Amino acid sequence: MRYVMFVCDNDSVGVPMEDADPAAWVREMDGRGVRLQGARLRPGSDATTVRVRGDEVLLSDGPFAETKEQIGGFDLIECDNLDEAIEIASKHPSARFGWVEVRPLWEE
């Protein structure tokens, strides 16, 4: 089963780069063959929010939510079950100072 992991953090929490660096986690998960894809996202200040109301396309700069907590990256993983996905997410460094949301994909 495939899951997406939304890797989230709080900009107001100062975390040393060596604690936040996911390189070791990426190597481990790539070695296990469970990480299919992943990437860091640019800061929320680089986001554009798109809404359509009627026939009008409305754009706004920045993220949808006005919060210091933002999605900082994502990973697509393939696991046997939710328990394995949770185990993988719990090893991500962001789980220690932010959080990781694990969500299954709709499989067709």
Side-chain angles (χ1 to χ4, degrees):
M1 183 161 204
R2 293 182 304 161
Y3 296 85
V4 67
M5 291 177 25
F6 294 111
V7 180
C8 305
D9 55 27
N10 184 330
D11 290 341
S12 67
V13 176
V15 178
M17 185 56 187
E18 61 272 8
D19 293 342
D21 186 3
W25 180 89
V26 168
R27 283 191 302 275
E28 179 184 347
M29 297 310 144
D30 285 351
R32 286 173 55 177
V34 296
R35 182 175 173 271
L36 304 177
Q37 182 179 2
R40 288 180 59 195
L41 298 177
R42 295 201 39 95
S45 59
D46 290 348
T48 300
T49 299
V50 179
R51 294 181 181 88
V52 177
R53 300 297 181 263
D55 292 332
E56 186 177 3
V57 177
L58 306 171
L59 304 177
S60 55
D61 292 335
F64 168 73
E66 294 291 330
T67 177
K68 293 186 183 307
E69 299 165 335
Q70 298 293 325
I71 298 172
F74 75 95
D75 289 281
L76 181 62
I77 58 175
E78 188 161 25
C79 307
D80 290 335
N81 52 45
L82 179 59
D83 289 337
E84 184 182 13
I86 290 169
E87 178 263 328
I88 289 166
S90 72
K91 291 185 173 189
H92 196 285
S94 288
R96 291 181 178 79
F97 59 85
W99 72 97
V100 178
E101 179 179 330
V102 176
R103 194 180 300 186
L105 272 62
W106 284 108
E107 302 286 357
E108 295 184 29

Coordinates of all heavy atoms in Angstrom, one line a residue, residues 7 14 17 22 28 34 37 39 48 62 72 100-101 104:
V7 N 5.6 16.1 5.7 CA 6.6 16.4 6.7 C 6.4 17.9 7.1 O 6.5 18.7 6.3 CB 8.0 16.1 6.2 CG1 9.1 16.5 7.3 CG2 8.2 14.7 5.7
G14 N 13.4 26.7 16.8 CA 14.8 26.7 16.3 C 15.3 25.3 16.5 O 15.5 24.8 17.6
M17 N 20.5 22.4 12.3 CA 20.5 21.7 11.1 C 20.8 20.2 11.2 O 20.2 19.4 10.5 CB 21.4 22.4 10.0 CG 21.3 21.9 8.7 SD 19.6 21.9 8.1 CE 19.7 21.0 6.6
P22 N 17.4 15.2 7.0 CA 16.9 13.9 6.8 C 17.7 13.0 6.0 O 17.3 11.9 5.7 CB 15.6 14.2 6.1 CG 15.9 15.4 5.2 CD 16.9 16.2 6.1
E28 N 18.5 5.3 4.7 CA 17.9 4.1 5.3 C 16.7 3.6 4.6 O 16.5 2.5 4.3 CB 17.6 4.3 6.8 CG 16.9 3.1 7.5 CD 16.5 3.3 8.9 OE1 16.8 4.3 9.5 OE2 15.8 2.4 9.4
V34 N 11.5 1.3 0.6 CA 10.2 1.7 0.9 C 9.9 3.1 0.4 O 8.7 3.5 0.3 CB 9.8 1.6 2.4 CG1 9.9 0.1 2.8 CG2 10.8 2.4 3.2
Q37 N 9.7 8.2 -3.5 CA 9.9 9.6 -4.0 C 9.8 10.5 -2.8 O 9.1 10.2 -1.8 CB 8.9 10.0 -5.1 CG 9.1 11.4 -5.7 CD 8.1 11.6 -6.7 OE1 7.2 10.8 -7.0 NE2 8.2 12.8 -7.3
A39 N 10.7 15.0 -1.5 CA 11.4 16.3 -1.8 C 11.1 17.3 -0.7 O 10.0 17.2 -0.1 CB 11.0 16.9 -3.1
T48 N 1.7 30.0 -3.9 CA 0.6 30.7 -4.4 C -0.7 29.9 -4.2 O -0.7 28.7 -4.5 CB 0.7 30.9 -5.9 OG1 1.9 31.7 -6.1 CG2 -0.4 31.7 -6.5
G62 N 1.5 33.3 -0.8 CA 1.7 32.6 0.5 C 0.8 31.4 0.6 O 0.0 31.1 -0.2
G72 N 6.8 21.1 5.1 CA 8.1 21.4 4.6 C 8.6 20.4 3.5 O 9.6 20.7 2.9
V100 N 4.8 14.4 11.4 CA 4.7 13.8 10.1 C 3.3 13.2 10.0 O 2.9 12.4 10.8 CB 5.7 12.7 9.9 CG1 5.5 12.0 8.5 CG2 7.1 13.2 10.0
E101 N 2.5 13.7 9.0 CA 1.2 13.1 8.7 C 1.3 12.0 7.7 O 1.9 12.2 6.7 CB 0.3 14.2 8.2 CG -1.1 13.7 7.9 CD -2.0 14.8 7.4 OE1 -1.8 16.0 7.7 OE2 -2.9 14.5 6.5
P104 N -2.9 7.4 3.5 CA -2.9 6.4 2.4 C -3.4 7.1 1.1 O -4.3 8.0 1.1 CB -3.9 5.3 2.8 CG -4.8 5.9 3.9 CD -4.0 7.1 4.5

